[in-house]
Amino acid sequence: MRSRHLKSRLLAVLLAVGAALGVSLSAAPPAGAASLTRITAFGHNPTNLQMYVYVPNGVKPHPAILLALHGCQGSGPYMYSSTDFAGLADRYGFIVVYPSTSPGGSCWDVSSDQALTRNGGSDPVGLMSMITYTEQHYGGNPGAVYVTGESSGGMMTNVMLADYPDVFKAGAAFMGVPYHCFHTGTVRGWNGACAGGQVSMTAQQWGDLARRADPGYNGPHPRVQLWHGTADPILNHRDLGEETKQWTNVLGVGQTPSSTDTPAANWNRSRYADRSGKTQVETYSIVGAGHQLPIQGTPMTADAVHFMGLDGSSTAPGTRQPHHG
């Protein structure tokens, strides 16, 4: 009963946030903008996901790819119309892939054994097919692939970073939980203990779980940015600390921040840098914010795009090796 109650609360909050923002799935794109395109056949798709792609009119040659994942009760078109990623794609020339779950409005599968294993099946396999399709049909750069998401999509961001560490250069998870925290062994299961912030492990334990998602991989791991509101009633703010432990361990940086600051009112930012000074993990704890990130009218999405380097702020994408296995 408790898990059903938590899920219903999550859906209600998300619907209320959408209504408060005045966003509808049919919201018109800005004048002169490119349009969202449905792709109906994009490769192996075991869970019948839907693929939408946004290619800006000013797309760069060999463009970067951003996979943008909606939350429960959302969709690809909703993620497109309710966030600023498409507008940022217009500005910086990258492609955005907006998937939808099936059945429509469902959460992502971040709980089954299949989903938590590289090439194991379920939603991550279909998402990878979308990335490969975008590389092959739109000239997307395999060395500049990124992922972001909110709520259930933030959880799936963590899953994709663990399952396919060679595919993604960086990721930004809004209101997520650590990889494997939501495990139930069932497809689209609800883990009330994880949602309530009651699952705690050591950094080493969390890191070992993430590494086991793709045990044959020994290369570099993607940089990670994490966002959470302190007043989140659906996915507890304590999950931010658990995510931080996981990714600092995976990326080999210390548990103590290299720097902390407040870039905006009520935004507490911590950075965890490697020995060269490059930030590997960045966290934002938003004081008083509920289950509503990224908040429109703030630079949250722009900050995520900046962290990932999609605005050209980082060094040019390298010649990463083709995806293994």
Side-chain angles (χ1 to χ4, degrees), residues 170-238:
F174 292 86
M175 307 178 299
V177 303
Y179 162 84
H180 206 279
C181 183
F182 235 68
H183 177 253
T184 63
T186 57
V187 174
R188 305 188 204 291
W190 183 262
N191 190 316
C194 178
Q198 297 161 0
V199 178
S200 181
M201 299 187 193
T202 66
Q204 185 69 42
Q205 289 171 324
W206 280 126
D208 287 345
L209 284 171
R211 284 182 285 268
R212 285 204 292 270
D214 184 13
Y217 182 68
N218 295 309
H221 285 263
R223 298 164 59 245
V224 183
Q225 186 188 63
L226 305 166
W227 297 75
H228 222 110
T230 62
D232 192 323
I234 305 301
L235 298 173
N236 194 282
H237 178 258
R238 286 190 294 269

Side-chain angles (χ1 to χ4, degrees), residues 62 135 141-146 161 164-171 217 219-223 278 280 316-324:
H62 207 36
E135 292 170 357
N141 184 352
V145 181
Y146 304 85
L161 294 173
Y164 300 98
D166 60 313
V167 172
F168 297 98
K169 193 174 181 70
Y217 182 68
H221 285 263
R223 298 164 59 245
K278 185 174 180 63
Q280 299 297 315
T319 55
R320 183 168 296 193
Q321 295 298 312
H323 315 327
H324 81 91

Side-chain angles (χ1 to χ4, degrees), residues 10-260:
L10 173 58
L11 300 184
V13 168
L14 289 175
L15 286 171
V17 169
L21 292 174
V23 172
S24 72
L25 299 187
S26 59
S35 59
L36 194 64
T37 301
R38 170 84 185 274
I39 306 296
T40 56
F42 52 85
H44 187 38
N45 182 23
T47 51
N48 197 31
L49 304 178
Q50 295 179 8
M51 176 183 178
Y52 297 85
V53 63
Y54 183 77
V55 182
N57 292 330
V59 66
K60 290 183 177 179
H62 207 36
I65 302 167
L66 176 63
L67 181 68
L69 301 163
H70 65 76
C72 299
Q73 201 68 13
S75 68
Y78 176 82
M79 188 72 175
Y80 163 71
S81 65
S82 65
T83 64
D84 298 326
F85 291 112
L88 292 163
D90 287 332
R91 186 181 307 171
Y92 299 117
F94 58 88
I95 293 174
V96 190
V97 176
Y98 294 98
S100 290
T101 52
S102 180
S106 59
C107 304
W108 295 100
D109 178 17
V110 296
S111 56
S112 73
D113 294 325
Q114 302 98 298
L116 296 173
T117 306
R118 183 189 184 92
N119 297 332
S122 196
D123 294 344
V125 169
L127 295 174
M128 271 305 305
S129 294
M130 296 181 197
I131 291 168
T132 301
Y133 182 95
T134 305
E135 292 170 357
Q136 294 175 347
H137 292 265
Y138 293 98
N141 184 352
V145 181
Y146 304 85
V147 59
T148 190
E150 57 188 33
S151 190
S152 180
M155 299 185 200
M156 181 56 85
T157 296
N158 283 301
V159 169
M160 295 301 287
L161 294 173
D163 281 2
Y164 300 98
D166 60 313
V167 172
F168 297 98
K169 193 174 181 70
F174 292 86
M175 307 178 299
V177 303
Y179 162 84
H180 206 279
C181 183
F182 235 68
H183 177 253
T184 63
T186 57
V187 174
R188 305 188 204 291
W190 183 262
N191 190 316
C194 178
Q198 297 161 0
V199 178
S200 181
M201 299 187 193
T202 66
Q204 185 69 42
Q205 289 171 324
W206 280 126
D208 287 345
L209 284 171
R211 284 182 285 268
R212 285 204 292 270
D214 184 13
Y217 182 68
N218 295 309
H221 285 263
R223 298 164 59 245
V224 183
Q225 186 188 63
L226 305 166
W227 297 75
H228 222 110
T230 62
D232 192 323
I234 305 301
L235 298 173
N236 194 282
H237 178 258
R238 286 190 294 269
D239 286 320
L240 176 63
E242 301 303 307
E243 285 177 292
T244 304
K245 287 191 286 186
Q246 182 168 68
W247 292 114
T248 51
N249 181 266
V250 169
L251 286 155
V253 294
Q255 298 292 296
T256 302
S258 308
S259 66
T260 60

